[in-house]
Amino acid sequence: MSTHPSEQAGQLIDGKAIARALTEKIGQDVAAFIEQGNPLPGLAVVLVGNDPASEVYVKNKAIQTHRAGMRSFMHMLPESTSQDELLDLIAQLNANPRIHGVLVQLPLPKQIDPVVVTNAIAPHKDVDGLGEVNAGRLALGMDGIVPCTPLGCLMLLKSVHKDLTGKHAVVIGASNLVGKPMAQLLLRENCTVSVGHIHTQDIRGLARTGDILVVATGKHGLVRGDWIKPGATVIDVGITRVPTHEGRTRLVGDVAFDEARHVAGHITPVPGGVGPMTIACLLHNTLQAARVTQALLKNGDAS
């Protein structure tokens, strides 16, 4: 297997450019939505605690929401917030007609059950798509709100492959946030799907069978170049901050990029790959939720 640089390197999938185009399209759709007499779509983001990375991410979401012509509602709660207090806030957001999407930033402090919180969000406002109603609709192949990161990954894949039918897709990682919904989306695209996880025997061998390889484990550098089928399309969802020799830090993914790019046909970088798409898809889901919420209000069904 050659690892000669430059001409043998796989093509980068530019998540920033694709996300920028999607965000511009969403902005146009929001303007059209408002011209039809509808209110500004509103997104409420709730952050519990003061994790620096989460704070930066949440503020970036607010900036992008405003750029797309939507209203942003920020709720910054202390680390000591109880589960009941958070549930009370979610109930208020569910009932607020100015808010069309509700997102609670994960992870949550240990005293709060994320499953209980996620399922407390009204399904038509669940812009993260993680509640049991939207997760169930995805599993059944029905319309619903799809989790932002897997949806972004699918859009990145479709920027390379117009038709995914018949391709063998390997997903490494089986979380409710990424791995499971990603597998469901790929099944819906008529892929043959394998899911690997911490208990999978010969995970390297499984990975090498994938025409498509999606990696979401949170373990940086896990997937090496010899794990990848030559010419495969690799989507790296992982993002970890690691120290450098200069005493600074840098962001890396779950895939050993310098090795993998010489084997893969197409690959997402970290940063600049999946990350921008996650926020763009959050805006996409917020507009979708606004459309559904307005329809429910007209029919008298929204709570």
Side-chain angles (χ1 to χ4, degrees):
M1 178 180 66
S2 172
T3 57
H4 193 274
S6 65
E7 70 269 19
Q8 294 297 325
Q11 294 186 39
L12 294 185
I13 303 174
D14 190 345
K16 286 184 179 179
I18 297 170
R20 185 164 53 248
L22 176 59
T23 301
E24 289 175 0
K25 175 64 165 59
I26 292 167
Q28 295 169 3
D29 290 345
V30 167
F33 181 74
I34 295 168
E35 286 176 6
Q36 293 167 3
N38 296 300
L40 276 174
L43 171 65
V45 178
V46 181
L47 175 64
V48 184
N50 55 357
D51 177 71
S54 292
E55 286 181 358
V56 171
Y57 193 47
V58 163
K59 289 177 182 177
N60 194 22
K61 287 177 179 177
I63 292 169
Q64 295 300 325
T65 302
H66 287 298
R67 284 180 179 171
M70 295 188 275
R71 183 183 286 121
S72 176
F73 299 86
M74 301 290 296
H75 296 269
M76 315 287 277
L77 306 181
E79 184 83 17
S80 59
T81 300
S82 70
Q83 181 166 296
D84 285 344
E85 289 172 328
L86 180 54
L87 292 176
D88 285 344
L89 173 60
I90 291 172
Q92 295 172 32
L93 300 177
N94 285 342
N96 188 338
R98 299 175 67 210
I99 293 173
H100 302 92
V102 177
L103 181 148
V104 177
Q105 185 69 35
L106 301 176
L108 290 166
K110 60 184 179 180
Q111 73 271 16
I112 301 176
D113 185 339
V115 175
V116 172
V117 169
T118 299
N119 285 325
I121 300 171
H124 60 282
K125 295 190 178 186
D126 173 25
V127 288
D128 240 353
L130 298 177
E132 58 189 19
V133 172
N134 284 309
R137 294 183 73 85
L138 176 60
L140 293 172
M142 301 170 66
D143 290 337
I145 300 178
V146 176
C148 304
T149 298
L151 180 59
C153 291
L154 182 63
M155 291 181 181
L156 293 175
L157 285 170
K158 286 189 169 183
S159 75
V160 176
H161 307 282
K162 291 184 178 180
D163 186 3
L164 300 177
T165 298
K167 294 188 181 300
H168 183 202
V170 175
V171 179
I172 300 181
S175 70
N176 292 333
L177 185 64
V178 181
K180 290 177 184 176
M182 188 77 245
Q184 296 289 349
L185 283 175
L186 290 165
L187 282 171
R188 198 160 73 177
E189 296 294 326
N190 300 315
C191 291
T192 298
V193 181
S194 299
V195 179
H197 45 76
I198 193 169
H199 300 294
T200 301
Q201 297 183 15
D202 190 16
I203 189 71
R204 171 184 173 277
L206 176 63
R208 279 187 60 84
T209 66
D211 305 308
I212 291 167
L213 182 62
V214 182
V215 189
T217 67
K219 186 173 177 59
H220 67 87
L222 172 69
V223 174
R224 310 303 295 264
D226 63 359
W227 287 40
I228 297 167
K229 179 179 180 180
T233 300
V234 179
I235 305 294
D236 188 353
V237 183
I239 186 164
T240 305
R241 190 171 291 277
V242 299
T244 66
H245 294 302
E246 295 79 20
R248 300 180 181 179
T249 60
R250 65 187 181 98
L251 295 175
V252 298
D254 291 354
V255 177
F257 181 79
D258 290 339
E259 296 178 17
R261 69 176 305 184
H262 297 294
V263 186
H266 294 81
I267 186 170
T268 57
V270 176
V274 174
M277 290 300 296
T278 296
I279 295 180
C281 287
L282 173 62
L283 303 179
H284 169 277
N285 284 356
T286 300
L287 178 56
Q288 178 186 352
R291 288 170 171 155
V292 172
T293 299
Q294 288 307 109
L296 290 172
L297 286 170
K298 289 177 182 177
N299 294 328
D301 295 331
S303 58

